[in-house]
Amino acid sequence: QASSVSAVIHAMCSAGDREIAGRFAVLIWILWNNRNNKVWNDATESGQGLGYKAKQLWHDWFSVQTLQNGRHQNPEQLQPIQWQKPSHGWFKCNVDAGFHKELNKTSSGWCIRDHLGRFILAETTWMDGNCSILEGEAIALLEALKVMTQRGISHVIFETDSKTVVDAIHHLRGGSSEFSFIIRRINNILLCNPNFKVKFVKRQANMVAHTLARAAISWPSRCTFETLPLCITPLLNNEMI
């Protein structure tokens, strides 16, 4: 019904739904950046990839706003989100990525625990270059999946705080972007390992992996921990209670 692009933008942002308007504004910003990237670098991403990127950026922003607003609420009204132990016979592997723009590095970290919450194994990696948020989160998950496969560990629930990556695993089909390629590799591993499950979890329940990913650049490019690293000892002990 709109006669111009500006009319479309005005209609979307005046619809009264703040979430739709916010998502729409982020999408426009992503499209504008993609246009500039085409003009100056002759590089573009697929429409589907841009959509997933916009969704992830909106989700990250909305999570921060929710957390900040929650600080002003009555503490009794806040329900803390904690890491949950897996069922008997299952392991849980928490995964996260770290982004260190000032050092031009992207890192990842994961930690696997048993049904009692006991530490089994952890690993950190980092590589030169700044990945996009989506690519970094997907690569972190891919690294954890590869190690579990190589070690023959089955019945593993993988948790990541990137909802967009989890949604892409379940719904993204095709695409020529680097993110799409990583998702296809993840799905290939999942097809070969029916006792692997990938789930989304909020950041508050993923702090062990978050801490490992941030600390990764303090160690060699790949570190495997068969004993509990000091940087996550307090967190893991608290979550076992």
Side-chain angles (χ1 to χ4, degrees):
Q1 296 177 355
S3 59
S4 65
V5 174
S6 60
V8 173
I9 295 173
H10 183 268
M12 292 293 291
C13 294
S14 303
D17 190 320
R18 291 169 60 90
E19 182 171 338
I20 290 177
R23 289 176 183 269
F24 186 63
V26 172
L27 180 59
I28 291 175
W29 185 75
I30 290 290
L31 292 172
W32 178 71
N33 275 276
N34 187 64
R35 179 262 187 193
N36 287 345
N37 204 26
K38 170 64 177 176
V39 171
W40 300 109
N41 302 314
D42 195 29
T44 59
E45 295 184 52
S46 68
Q48 193 171 37
L50 293 172
Y52 276 111
K53 180 181 288 188
K55 184 178 179 182
Q56 179 66 40
L57 287 173
W58 162 258
H59 180 267
D60 290 346
W61 180 87
F62 187 78
S63 296
V64 171
Q65 298 305 308
T66 302
L67 181 61
Q68 290 178 343
N69 292 335
R71 289 172 182 162
H72 303 293
Q73 297 177 13
N74 187 334
E76 295 179 357
Q77 297 175 342
L78 300 179
Q79 296 181 350
I81 301 170
Q82 296 180 333
W83 182 85
Q84 300 294 318
K85 299 173 185 176
S87 302
H88 188 274
W90 283 82
F91 298 94
K92 182 171 283 188
C93 182
N94 288 83
V95 182
D96 202 7
F99 304 91
H100 315 269
K101 290 186 177 181
E102 69 284 356
L103 299 174
N104 192 38
K105 296 182 187 297
T106 303
S107 62
S108 65
W110 57 259
C111 176
I112 185 169
R113 289 174 269 183
D114 65 12
H115 67 281
L116 296 176
R118 295 176 299 195
F119 174 84
I120 301 298
L121 195 69
E123 186 171 280
T124 61
T125 59
W126 59 261
M127 59 183 179
D128 291 320
N130 287 313
C131 290
S132 70
I133 294 174
L134 286 181
E135 290 173 4
E137 298 285 3
I139 289 171
L141 177 59
L142 177 61
E143 288 295 319
L145 285 163
K146 286 162 58 178
V147 174
M148 296 305 120
T149 302
Q150 292 164 0
R151 289 180 174 262
I153 302 175
S154 64
H155 293 82
V156 183
I157 299 169
F158 296 85
E159 288 186 339
T160 170
D161 55 30
S162 175
K163 189 175 187 302
T164 304
V165 169
V166 175
D167 289 344
I169 290 169
H170 294 143
H171 304 296
L172 182 61
R173 299 293 179 268
S176 57
S177 67
E178 182 66 22
F179 176 66
S180 301
F181 175 70
I182 299 168
I183 294 299
R184 284 198 295 272
R185 293 183 64 187
I186 289 173
N187 276 323
N188 287 339
I189 294 177
L190 294 175
L191 283 173
C192 297
N193 296 274
N195 290 319
F196 283 175
K197 298 180 180 180
V198 177
K199 296 183 177 182
F200 165 73
V201 68
K202 291 189 176 181
R203 171 66 57 79
Q204 299 97 311
N206 202 42
M207 289 306 298
V208 165
H210 178 77
T211 302
L212 283 171
R214 298 307 179 272
I217 57 173
S218 301
W219 300 307
S221 58
R222 183 178 294 273
C223 272
T224 302
F225 301 92
E226 297 186 352
T227 57
L228 184 58
L230 290 176
C231 67
I232 61 170
T233 298
L235 287 169
L236 192 140
N237 288 341
N238 286 338
E239 291 176 344
M240 285 183 65
I241 298 174

